[in-house]
Amino acid sequence: MDHQTEGRSAPAETKQEVWATLRNTAEAGVRNGALEFFLRPELDDGGILPASLIVSLIPRTGSLTPDELRESFEARGGGDAHDTEVSTIELPAGETVRIRTPTTMDLYVQMPGAVGYLVLGFAVPLSGTTGPMYRLCSAIGESLRWIV
């Protein structure tokens, strides 16, 4: 954070909030078996616009379909129902469960052979999951292909 904001007029509170969000995202990823963590900091007119992606694997021994997974997320509720969108979408890699909040988007992509789900967890704490950042996160999800 210090390196990215050097020579810029970023408020200390903003830097601290971004650092805490990124730390919490990384720690949660480790607890949940994350395979990869990507971070892209952007500076726009002195403001910090970070985006992160955690890639995780959730193995499933049963044959939980994307619709069943979506229904289980809907039944759990989780967060403010007005700010959370749970849906099933079709991506080139297959049927996917998408959970979108104002600052996060998780894509649960069913792996071939119903062996589990590859999870792409995007966090965009300041600019949110609308506009260009939503399109970027969606494009990354749409670029996923299985080679079997």
Side-chain angles (χ1 to χ4, degrees):
M1 287 302 297
D2 292 336
H3 175 70
Q4 290 295 322
T5 59
E6 188 176 327
R8 307 211 191 237
S9 60
E13 309 84 49
T14 302
K15 290 194 310 187
Q16 186 175 16
E17 179 183 327
V18 170
W19 172 248
T21 299
L22 294 175
R23 183 196 64 233
N24 292 342
T25 301
E27 288 174 356
V30 169
R31 278 193 311 275
N32 294 314
L35 303 172
E36 298 279 347
F37 180 64
F38 300 94
L39 173 65
R40 175 72 178 141
E42 295 285 339
L43 292 175
D44 183 23
D45 297 331
I48 305 165
L49 302 174
S52 65
L53 165 61
I54 292 182
V55 180
S56 304
L57 173 65
I58 301 176
R60 293 277 187 221
T61 55
S63 58
L64 190 64
T65 68
D67 283 333
E68 293 168 335
L69 182 62
R70 177 187 44 79
E71 289 170 2
S72 73
F73 283 126
E74 289 174 337
R76 278 193 243 165
D80 185 356
H82 299 293
D83 289 342
T84 302
E85 170 197 316
V86 180
S87 59
T88 305
I89 61 172
E90 190 65 37
L91 292 179
E95 201 169 11
T96 300
V97 176
R98 179 180 65 194
I99 302 174
R100 186 172 157 199
T101 71
T103 60
T104 65
M105 183 171 73
D106 297 331
L107 299 174
Y108 291 78
V109 185
Q110 188 175 36
M111 296 173 61
V115 296
Y117 286 86
L118 185 70
V119 182
L120 305 178
F122 298 93
V124 191
L126 296 180
S127 59
T129 56
T130 59
M133 290 311 295
Y134 171 71
R135 290 192 299 275
L136 174 64
C137 296
S138 294
I140 292 170
E142 291 169 5
S143 72
L144 181 63
R145 306 284 194 282
W146 301 115
I147 300 172
V148 290

